[in-house]
Amino acid sequence: MHNHRTTITQFIIEEQRHIPGATGDFTSLLNDVVTACKVISNLVNHGALVGVLGAAGSENVQGEDQKKMDVISNEVFLKSNEWAGHLAAMASEEMEEVYQIPSQYPRGKYLMTFDPLDGSSNIDVNVSVGTIFSILRCKGNCVNPSAEDFLQRGTEQVCAGYALYGPSTMMVLTTGRGVNGFTLDQNIGEFVLTHPNMTIPADTREFAINASNMRFWEAPVKRYVDECLAGKEGARGSDFNMRWIASMVAEVHRILTRGGVFMYPLDSKMKAKGVEGKLRLMYEANPMGFIVEQAGGAAITGQHRILDIQPSSLHQRVPVILGSKNEVELIAKYHQEMK
Ligand code: AHG
Ligand code: MN
Ligand code: MN
């Protein structure tokens, strides 16, 4: 007897039946996103064989050096999603301005933000990278939307997801009804539901932070990490493990799989430069915050819930602390106590 497996297309169609007012546009939009991620996955898999590794020789709006694959993935995402008539506009980490849908194509009712290649500093060393996206409804001007039309709270997201290009390629999605994970079956070219209803354990003994910034951390983060490092003999009474992949997608995926805490907190070095965090609200913190909350975890800046932030600009940065609920709540408590 053949064992039926749920493809991502079947899953999305079934999911759409629960979205009020959905007409089929959403299913079709997600199909295009899935196609884009399959194309990026294929390029990432082939790496040096197809000449996509190395630097592009340019900088993005945040002044970061772009890799060839940052630029290519951005292009793939735009081209896969601009033509079908589901989107009013897109915004990306790799583009300063809102991307308007070319005039020959119809406009749709959704907006999409994305980080085409997250963790791209890892691409040349063959460590996992990913793509992050967030879908919003277009509520204002849906002909030529401006940055203001994108500045909606994370709680307004219709859907968020990421593709992880690791030992296997996976797609993890939420539409606000839990989190589901799909694995790309290269033989049939389809993502298949392999991780239904992903949940983050409330407790963990594993944390992730770039410890090279330790001397710049604020007191609550320093206290939390010090207590983890003190292990069995310290205030927490147990030993902790540490990880840092430098690919947010891979860190969040680990946390969805076995729990943990991920932190890219505000620090004094950022403050001196007048920046409010490392990670970007609209296409990193909000989609990941939505996914993590939907899996039973929590996502905060230290002071506030990420999804409640009223965005002020497209490329706004925020501190990010997310993962296992009880640990994130403890870190929030330290921020309250040490204000
Ligand atoms: P991107 O490659 O899209 O610029 O994002 C990289 C982000 C994130 O994925 C990761 O957690 C963090 O930056 C790594 O920062 P460090 O290089 O400071 O470790
Ligand atoms: Mn990123
Ligand atoms: Mn990126």
Side-chain angles (χ1 to χ4, degrees):
M1 182 63 186
H2 171 71
N3 213 347
H4 179 74
R5 302 195 300 173
T6 304
T7 65
I8 199 163
T9 311
Q10 179 183 350
F11 183 87
I12 296 165
I13 290 172
E14 288 176 353
E15 199 70 347
Q16 171 163 300
R17 295 184 182 139
H18 299 281
I19 299 180
T23 56
D25 267 9
F26 178 72
T27 301
S28 186
L29 168 59
L30 270 181
N31 265 325
D32 293 342
V33 170
V34 164
T35 302
C37 293
K38 284 194 237 178
V39 172
I40 298 170
S41 172
N42 188 50
L43 290 166
V44 166
N45 283 167
H46 286 86
L49 294 173
V50 291
V52 297
L53 301 186
S58 47
E59 275 188 0
N60 68 11
V61 50
Q62 3 255 332
E64 296 163 343
D65 291 334
Q66 288 176 307
K67 296 284 184 183
K68 276 186 201 159
M69 264 315 284
D70 284 322
V71 177
I72 296 168
S73 309
N74 190 57
E75 199 67 13
V76 167
F77 230 76
L78 294 177
K79 294 295 168 219
S80 301
N81 290 295
E82 68 182 12
W83 61 273
H86 310 307
L87 289 172
M90 290 181 255
S92 158
E93 173 178 290
E94 305 303 340
M95 293 180 299
E96 181 157 11
E97 308 289 344
V98 169
Y99 180 80
Q100 301 296 343
I101 301 298
S103 56
Q104 68 267 37
Y105 302 125
R107 306 288 196 279
K109 61 183 179 203
Y110 294 107
L111 298 171
M112 184 158 64
T113 66
F114 57 94
D115 175 353
L117 201 66
D118 174 70
S120 57
S121 72
N122 287 315
I123 184 93
D124 297 340
V125 287
N126 206 5
V127 167
S128 297
V129 290
T131 298
I132 311 171
F133 65 92
S134 161
I135 299 173
L136 296 161
R137 269 179 227 284
C138 182
K139 295 175 177 165
N141 170 7
C142 298
V143 179
N144 285 313
S146 64
E148 281 65 47
D149 294 302
F150 283 84
L151 304 182
Q152 304 177 31
R153 287 188 171 87
T155 48
E156 301 290 297
Q157 292 171 100
V158 176
C159 173
Y162 64 78
L164 171 65
Y165 314 117
S168 51
T169 291
M170 285 194 68
M171 174 78 74
V172 172
L173 280 184
T174 185
T175 56
R177 296 167 35 82
V179 179
N180 291 279
F182 305 81
T183 305
L184 181 60
D185 182 335
Q186 309 272 4
N187 293 327
I188 60 169
E190 286 266 21
F191 282 99
V192 173
L193 180 64
T194 47
H195 295 59
N197 202 13
M198 298 176 88
T199 50
I200 301 174
D203 292 299
T204 183
R205 292 290 172 263
E206 194 162 73
F207 67 98
I209 191 164
N210 183 341
S212 71
N213 295 319
M214 186 178 285
R215 67 193 185 285
F216 306 116
W217 293 343
E218 296 192 312
V221 171
K222 180 100 179 50
R223 172 178 173 190
Y224 176 75
V225 173
D226 280 349
E227 289 179 0
C228 292
L229 295 176
K232 265 203 184 71
E233 293 73 35
R236 302 298 305 277
S238 58
D239 291 337
F240 280 68
N241 193 13
M242 190 174 84
R243 285 286 183 279
W244 188 249
I245 308 174
S247 276
M248 189 193 199
V249 170
E251 319 267 11
V252 168
H253 194 72
R254 182 186 62 250
I255 290 170
L256 281 166
T257 309
R258 66 179 190 209
V261 181
F262 167 86
M263 290 171 276
Y264 217 119
L266 181 65
D267 66 33
S268 60
K269 191 168 72 175
M270 294 170 186
K271 277 182 161 170
K273 284 200 242 158
V275 294
E276 288 175 70
K278 157 100 180 181
L279 299 169
R280 281 60 53 116
L281 177 60
M282 300 304 295
Y283 38 85
E284 291 175 321
N286 268 344
M288 290 312 206
F290 189 22
I291 292 168
V292 165
E293 282 196 6
Q294 282 293 316
I300 61 169
T301 60
Q303 308 291 350
H304 308 284
R305 179 187 178 207
I306 285 174
L307 298 189
D308 283 335
I309 299 171
Q310 172 59 54
S312 55
S313 67
L314 211 48
H315 299 288
Q316 178 177 357
R317 293 170 185 266
V318 290
V320 174
I321 297 168
L322 58 76
S324 292
K325 199 168 186 162
N326 292 339
E327 289 300 299
V328 174
E329 280 172 0
L330 179 67
I331 301 167
K333 184 168 150 266
Y334 289 177
H335 279 84
Q336 285 306 316
E337 285 172 11
M338 303 170 87
K339 249 189 189 158

